[in-house]
Amino acid sequence: MGKGLSAEDKRKTVLQLLRSSKRPYTLKDLEKLAAKAGVVQNTVKDVVQGLEQDGLVDMDKIGSTNWFWSFPSKDAAARRTKLRQTQERVTSLEAEIAQLKERRDELERDRPQNEERRRALAELAALQAQRKDLDARLELARANDPETVRKMQRAVEEAKRAAERWTDNTFALMDWLKKSHGMPKQDILRQLDVTDDFEVPVYVAKAAGGR
């Protein structure tokens, strides 16, 4: 069994049938005609609707029946419409460009590139660089602000107390495991995933190593 027509081929086939005949068809008649040209009959309705949505096929209801047609002149009319819209867009853009050029010329007249303006721009650039440097210094000063340092010290003290509290809790747990289950110290350390130097607080060990 041969391969059927693609969706695009179906569109081209139906459109060609309408334009070559130069007459309107009901959907039922168009389905029969398209089927002879290789388009599956139950797909013709969707194809025609797609062509109509794209403006390639016209439809009018006469009585209770829908009639479809597409005359060759429709392409020419569509091209003329597209050309007119493009020309209108070009005219609009040209007017906009002319206005922008005029505005640019006005600004250049109001702001001549003389020596005074160049000096002012150079001074502005220097002031902007100076402000950037001062902002960096201010940020550094904030980092060394006494209140900031005090907050950091309080945070360190709180962290030390928390570490000591959890250390005490861990010791209590180790003691309970030893007394209740008779576990050797090495087994307890392994189960808790801690090392032999656990009994020495980390910050104390670091301080001792720095001396």
Side-chain angles (χ1 to χ4, degrees), residues 3-17 27-48 51:
K3 183 178 179 181
L5 297 177
S6 66
E8 184 60 27
D9 287 338
K10 291 177 183 178
R11 286 168 56 91
K12 291 179 179 179
T13 300
V14 172
L15 189 60
Q16 180 60 32
L17 289 173
L27 179 61
K28 185 176 181 180
D29 290 338
L30 189 56
E31 286 176 340
K32 294 178 180 178
L33 185 65
K36 294 178 181 179
V39 181
V40 178
Q41 187 168 343
N42 59 10
T43 65
V44 174
K45 181 178 180 180
D46 291 336
V47 173
V48 173
L51 292 169

Side-chain angles (χ1 to χ4, degrees), residues 17 20 42 44 49 65 77 89-90 97 100 111 114 130 133 148 158 173 211:
L17 289 173
S20 61
N42 59 10
V44 174
Q49 287 179 343
T65 305
R89 178 60 176 161
V90 169
I97 290 171
L100 291 173
R111 304 174 185 176
N114 52 29
Q130 183 180 1
D133 179 63
T148 302
E158 184 177 348
L173 177 60
R211 288 197 296 267

Side-chain angles (χ1 to χ4, degrees), residues 131-174:
R131 177 178 177 178
K132 185 176 180 180
D133 179 63
L134 290 174
D135 286 342
R137 294 185 183 185
L138 178 60
E139 191 63 29
L140 180 62
R142 286 173 178 168
N144 293 286
D145 180 68
E147 180 59 27
T148 302
V149 173
R150 284 192 291 271
K151 288 181 179 179
M152 293 177 63
Q153 289 174 338
R154 288 195 294 268
V156 169
E157 290 298 327
E158 184 177 348
K160 286 171 62 177
R161 287 194 296 271
E164 291 170 352
R165 183 169 60 253
W166 281 105
T167 299
D168 291 341
N169 291 340
T170 304
F171 283 151
L173 177 60
M174 292 169 66

